[in-house]
Amino acid sequence: MELERPEIDFIDGPPPADLQVTDLKIGEGEQAGHGSTVQVHYVGVSHSTGEEFDASWNRGEPLSFRVGSGMVISGWDQGVMGMRVGGRRQLVIPPHLAYGERGAGGVIKPGETLVFVCDLVGVS
């Protein structure tokens, strides 16, 4: 089955204080565990504006990283854990599990809550 790029709806109301993980589709494949190398397609938007700041889809290839190794923001390490290949999950990541008060490269403002829709496409 060919994946489709997700659309992320604007979330009204105040951002959550803790990581929110919502399974949009449960995968049937191999499970991502601590130390697994995963391939994830994603779209990321800022909670405050709903504006997209990054998407692997724009590059045409998924992001690859080792779960739990600190290669990505903590919200990703925690949020992808336990996903199965073929699954789609929404992560709402508060600043302390994202880029905090420093923001990121002028693209993510300080103290921003981030919203990602992630598709787990591979585990090795």
Side-chain angles (χ1 to χ4, degrees):
M1 181 182 115
E2 191 59 33
L3 279 179
E4 285 189 22
R5 186 185 211 276
E7 292 295 319
I8 301 179
D9 294 326
F10 184 75
I11 299 174
D12 280 327
D18 295 311
L19 176 66
Q20 284 188 342
V21 176
T22 308
D23 282 310
L24 304 176
K25 178 180 176 234
I26 305 288
E28 307 268 318
E30 194 171 341
Q31 191 167 28
H34 192 85
S36 303
T37 297
V38 295
Q39 291 77 45
V40 179
H41 253 319
Y42 66 91
V43 174
V45 302
S46 296
H47 186 281
S48 63
T49 63
E51 293 294 310
E52 181 180 308
F53 58 81
D54 190 22
S56 62
W57 295 88
N58 299 348
R59 293 184 289 281
E61 62 181 76
L63 174 70
S64 181
F65 68 95
R66 206 164 92 242
V67 177
S69 67
M71 294 171 70
V72 292
I73 58 174
S74 312
W76 268 63
D77 269 339
Q78 294 175 32
V80 171
M81 188 93 66
M83 276 186 86
R84 292 189 176 276
V85 171
R88 174 171 282 184
R89 190 173 270 187
Q90 180 173 288
L91 308 177
V92 181
I93 304 176
H96 71 277
L97 296 175
Y99 296 100
E101 292 309 315
R102 70 180 188 278
V107 182
I108 297 169
K109 70 183 189 185
E112 182 66 73
T113 295
L114 308 179
V115 181
F116 289 95
V117 171
C118 304
D119 292 293
L120 186 61
V121 294
V123 173
S124 54

